[in-house]
Amino acid sequence: MIHPPPEAFVRAAERNRAHQESRESSSAVPILGWAAAGLLTLGVHVGLYLLLTRQAKTPAPPSKCPRR
């Protein structure tokens, strides 16, 4: 079995470490994306709730109450 030279392992480890560090530094982007999506969804739901539960003007009370 032929083994690659040790330098290849060192270079691969350095590339992996650099890739891992770049992923860790950019982890805020997905979090902000999910937070924005959650706030947008919440806003749409609140807006629809307010739109669907809106009532017209309050009806005027009757001028005369029926007597029994």
Side-chain angles (χ1 to χ4, degrees):
M1 179 185 282
I2 299 174
H3 295 285
E7 297 86 29
F9 288 116
V10 172
R11 284 193 302 264
E14 288 173 357
R15 279 194 307 258
N16 189 22
R17 188 178 319 119
H19 178 69
Q20 192 73 350
E21 288 173 357
S22 69
R23 283 182 53 201
E24 290 173 357
S25 66
S26 65
S27 64
V29 173
I31 293 171
L32 290 175
W34 281 107
L39 288 174
L40 178 65
T41 303
L42 180 66
V44 168
H45 281 87
V46 169
L48 285 173
Y49 171 78
L50 292 174
L51 181 69
L52 295 174
T53 58
R54 181 181 61 165
Q55 293 183 359
K57 295 180 182 177
T58 308
S63 58
K64 293 183 180 179
C65 294
R67 296 186 184 192
R68 294 183 183 185

